[in-house]
Amino acid sequence: MTELGPWPPAPITTERLVLREPEARDRTAVLELFTSAEVGTYIGGPRSRDELERAMPESPKKRPGLLVVDLDGQMIGMVTLDARDPDRPGAASTELGYMFLPSSWGHGYAAEACAAALAWFGATHPGEAVALTTQTANTRSLRLAQKLGFTEVARFHEYDAEQWLGVWSAPQYSGNDFYCDVAIPDPSRLDVVHEDELVLAFHHTRPFWETHIVIVPKQHIASLLTVNSADEQVMRRLFGVVRTIAAETEKTTGAAAVLTNLGEYQDSKHLHIHVHSGPRR
């Protein structure tokens, strides 16, 4: 199963929404969500409000894979990316889920929130597929799945109803400068360690070591061999950030390595420095 890890380390923001961890102020909205007859139509029916009131803690539990969808400071729904039972149909090991209060339906919020969650997942778990299951009778959910780019792979019978299974995969990056093309323009997709006007540092999207941080200049510099006198300011900043992150890594793990690649070893043709520690994955 996919190990989601910290998901994500900071809220995801879209044009209208914030996807964040649950907070105590969300309790009333969570109760409304799970006791709504409309929401429960295709997921086994609503929960008993009295039972849910007794069972639910004062502050909703936080866990990897769960984000509240916030509109203007109020919870309107939630999005989940959970490990999928390997015995269920379909090859994906992660499944997307979503629930929204009926008052928020019809405004495109579910599509906006789910698209943002999938973008985060695609950037941090490149090449991995995501499944989505819904009843074929749930036409609203089917339209959303297709809008998000899920492709039907199977239909099967479960919970006394016909189920629709779709799979989504993030587009594969095929360029030669991931940093200029993807990371620097949209660092919200990444687990960022440091960012300023000249330098970006983040946890590697496909870590080779237990701790694996990448530090890059925001201006395009092809490699260590192409650095010239005009790059002095950015290089000073770059190595200052490298030094700080390496020192913190050594302090917390007991060791750190710093390296950069050249030639055929350099997959992305943009100067980047790795700080890593721990066993190779």
Side-chain angles (χ1 to χ4, degrees):
M1 292 185 179
T2 296
E3 181 64 40
L4 288 173
W7 139 241
I12 299 172
T13 58
T14 70
E15 183 178 353
R16 299 178 293 176
L17 306 171
V18 177
L19 280 68
R20 56 170 175 78
E21 291 186 325
E23 299 175 1
R25 61 190 169 107
D26 302 320
R27 190 174 190 273
T28 299
V30 172
L31 285 168
E32 291 178 11
L33 191 64
F34 283 95
T35 58
S36 166
E38 292 171 281
V39 173
T41 300
Y42 299 104
I43 56 172
R47 298 276 299 275
S48 163
R49 189 175 187 93
D50 288 342
E51 290 179 6
L52 197 58
E53 282 270 16
R54 289 193 296 269
M56 185 181 294
E58 286 302 312
S59 182
K61 292 181 180 179
K62 301 177 182 180
R63 64 172 176 81
L66 168 65
L67 284 178
V68 159
V69 181
D70 183 309
L71 173 67
D72 298 330
Q74 299 294 322
M75 174 184 162
I76 61 169
M78 59 178 60
V79 174
T80 58
L81 279 168
D82 288 326
R84 195 162 187 268
D85 184 342
D87 293 330
R88 299 196 73 200
S93 61
T94 301
E95 184 150 15
L96 174 71
Y98 44 84
M99 298 173 67
F100 284 79
L101 291 168
S103 59
S104 71
W105 294 0
H107 301 283
Y109 297 135
E112 187 173 329
C114 290
L118 289 170
W120 173 85
F121 185 88
T124 54
H125 301 77
E128 294 189 25
V130 177
L132 184 153
T133 305
T134 187
Q135 288 188 24
T136 53
N138 190 348
T139 56
R140 184 188 295 271
S141 186
L142 281 176
R143 287 196 300 270
L144 175 57
Q146 291 158 0
K147 183 175 183 179
L148 291 170
F150 284 83
T151 300
E152 180 179 341
V153 295
R155 296 192 182 203
F156 57 97
H157 201 78
E158 190 177 54
Y159 306 123
D160 298 322
E162 185 182 52
Q163 306 289 334
W164 182 94
L165 172 65
V167 171
W168 173 94
S169 296
Q172 293 296 300
Y173 177 71
S174 58
N176 63 8
D177 188 347
F178 172 81
Y179 306 105
C180 275
D181 295 344
V182 179
I184 295 167
D186 188 10
S188 66
R189 299 182 178 191
L190 308 169
D191 187 351
V192 174
V193 174
H194 170 91
E195 183 179 13
D196 60 41
E197 72 279 11
L198 298 178
V199 174
L200 175 66
F202 57 93
H203 289 280
H204 201 294
T205 59
R206 289 179 291 175
F208 302 148
W209 294 274
E210 188 172 37
T211 299
H212 189 174
I213 298 169
V214 184
I215 306 100
V216 300
K218 286 188 171 180
Q219 78 177 52
H220 180 75
I221 299 174
S223 78
L224 191 63
L225 300 183
T226 66
V227 175
N228 58 48
S229 58
D231 302 321
E232 181 178 355
Q233 181 183 11
V234 70
M235 292 302 293
R236 283 181 179 272
R237 181 73 59 80
L238 177 71
F239 280 103
V241 174
V242 170
R243 180 177 178 177
T244 298
I245 290 174
E248 182 62 27
T249 301
E250 182 191 20
K251 179 180 177 181
T252 56
T253 69
V258 179
L259 67 89
T260 191
N261 294 312
L262 300 170
E264 293 182 2
Y265 290 160
Q266 187 183 8
D267 290 336
S268 191
K269 306 307 179 184
H270 183 122
L271 172 62
H272 55 285
I273 297 174
H274 303 264
V275 173
H276 65 86
S277 182
R280 191 176 179 91
R281 290 189 170 185

